[in-house]
Amino acid sequence: MAGEISMSTFQSIKQGLTEAVAHAKGNQAGVNEYQPYEVDVAGLRKRLGLTQEQFAARFGFSVATLRHWERGDRTPHGPALVLLNLIDREPKAVMRALAA
């Protein structure tokens, strides 16, 4: 019937919640937590041979934000930092993926 949750869906949700509660209590079993590292944004951009405008356009950042990062007024965090980590490690793969 519409609106009913199957037993396998329920079990999956239950398992996810159990793991989330265990993680919140400090139990890291079964959880891979990614910790991005700080990225020298200006150095990365220069290594790729891109202007600020090109780098921002290619990877979806605003030029103003990029300038703040490069001056040190702000630091990238969250998804932006993860993307910068990927660009730093595998720039060609990121560029191929974004061009597809």
Side-chain angles (χ1 to χ4, degrees):
M1 294 182 161
E4 287 187 24
I5 297 176
S6 71
M7 190 53 102
S8 63
T9 301
F10 173 77
Q11 290 299 329
S12 176
I13 292 169
K14 180 181 175 189
Q15 180 181 347
L17 289 173
T18 301
E19 290 173 3
V21 169
H23 179 70
K25 290 180 179 179
N27 180 354
Q28 300 296 316
V31 176
N32 293 325
E33 189 171 317
Y34 175 71
Q35 293 295 325
Y37 56 89
E38 290 185 28
V39 174
D40 173 5
V41 180
L44 172 59
R45 179 183 58 77
K46 290 172 186 173
R47 192 176 85 222
L48 296 177
L50 300 172
T51 67
Q52 288 180 331
E53 291 77 10
Q54 290 168 330
F55 188 90
R58 177 162 290 172
F59 299 113
F61 303 117
S62 76
V63 175
T65 297
L66 180 63
R67 288 181 179 150
H68 282 292
W69 291 340
E70 290 192 6
R71 282 195 309 257
D73 302 341
R74 297 184 196 151
T75 56
H77 62 279
L81 183 56
V82 171
L83 177 56
L84 288 167
N85 274 243
L86 290 170
I87 297 165
D88 190 39
R89 287 184 179 154
E90 296 289 339
K92 291 179 182 176
V94 174
M95 287 187 244
R96 276 193 315 270
L98 294 175

